């Protein structure tokens, strides 16, 4: 995941987890220990959403992830997030399910989440935003087993290009 960050980054943090499902189980166990009703509430929420956090979210991801600030800070910070993905199709379906559920319960004040996709040079770019706050859109795509996200398609495309060209923080002096 660090290969999507250029040597020009002002901040980068990478982490590796052995088993994302186990991490999710531990988080859910910890939440249940601090609140006796948390497990019951979580089960109810997952049932309503039609999404299982362990099976549908955690199991879709691998253990390699990076977050970086790689470019300008103003007017919008040029952040990047890259995470290893084992099951991209299932993850995309889970995202769609969550968006649909949110929109069914959204009111006029919060707005609806808009999930769209665009094919560019054989690659599908997704945009996830809110119809009330278009400046908060997140763009993402899947590249060689990684989900890569950024606040603009330009930053996303640059991250992919830098990786293809070998201009990466991991390979820099």
């Amino acid at each position: 995941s660090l290969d999507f960050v250029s040597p020009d980054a002002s901040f980068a943090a990478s982490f590796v987890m052995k088993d994302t499902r186990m991490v999710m189980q531990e988080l859910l166990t910890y939440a249940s220990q601090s609140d006796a009703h948390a497990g019951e509430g979580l089960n109810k929420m997952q049932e309503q959403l039609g999404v299982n956090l362990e099976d549908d979210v955690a199991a879709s991801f691998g253990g390699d992830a990076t977050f970086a600030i790689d470019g300008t800070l103003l007017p919008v910070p040029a952040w990047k997030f890259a995470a290893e993905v084992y099951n991209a199709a299932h993850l995309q379906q889970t995202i769609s399910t969550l968006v649909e559920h949110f929109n069914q319960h959204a009111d006029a004040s919060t707005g609806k989440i808009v999930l769209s996709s665009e094919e560019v040079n054989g690659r599908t770019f997704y945009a996830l935003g809110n119809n009330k706050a278009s400046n908060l859109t997140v763009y993402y795509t899947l590249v060689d087993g990684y989900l890569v996200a950024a606040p603009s398609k330009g930053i996303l495309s640059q991250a992919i290009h830098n990786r293809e060209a070998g201009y990466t923080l991991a390979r820099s002096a």
Side-chain angles (χ1 to χ4, degrees), residues 33-99:
Q33 290 172 346
S34 62
D35 180 359
H37 301 291
E40 186 179 300
L42 177 67
N43 289 338
K44 184 177 178 181
M45 179 194 74
Q46 291 181 115
E47 187 178 307
Q48 289 174 344
L49 291 173
V51 170
N52 181 289
L53 293 176
E54 201 176 310
D55 297 334
D56 298 323
V57 178
S60 294
F61 285 99
D64 175 23
T66 296
F67 176 81
I69 302 294
D70 192 3
T72 62
L73 288 174
L74 296 173
V76 176
W79 60 266
K80 294 176 186 173
F81 175 74
E84 185 178 24
V85 174
Y86 289 153
N87 192 339
H90 189 74
L91 179 61
Q92 186 58 43
Q93 180 57 48
T94 300
I95 292 168
S96 296
T97 299
L98 290 170
V99 167

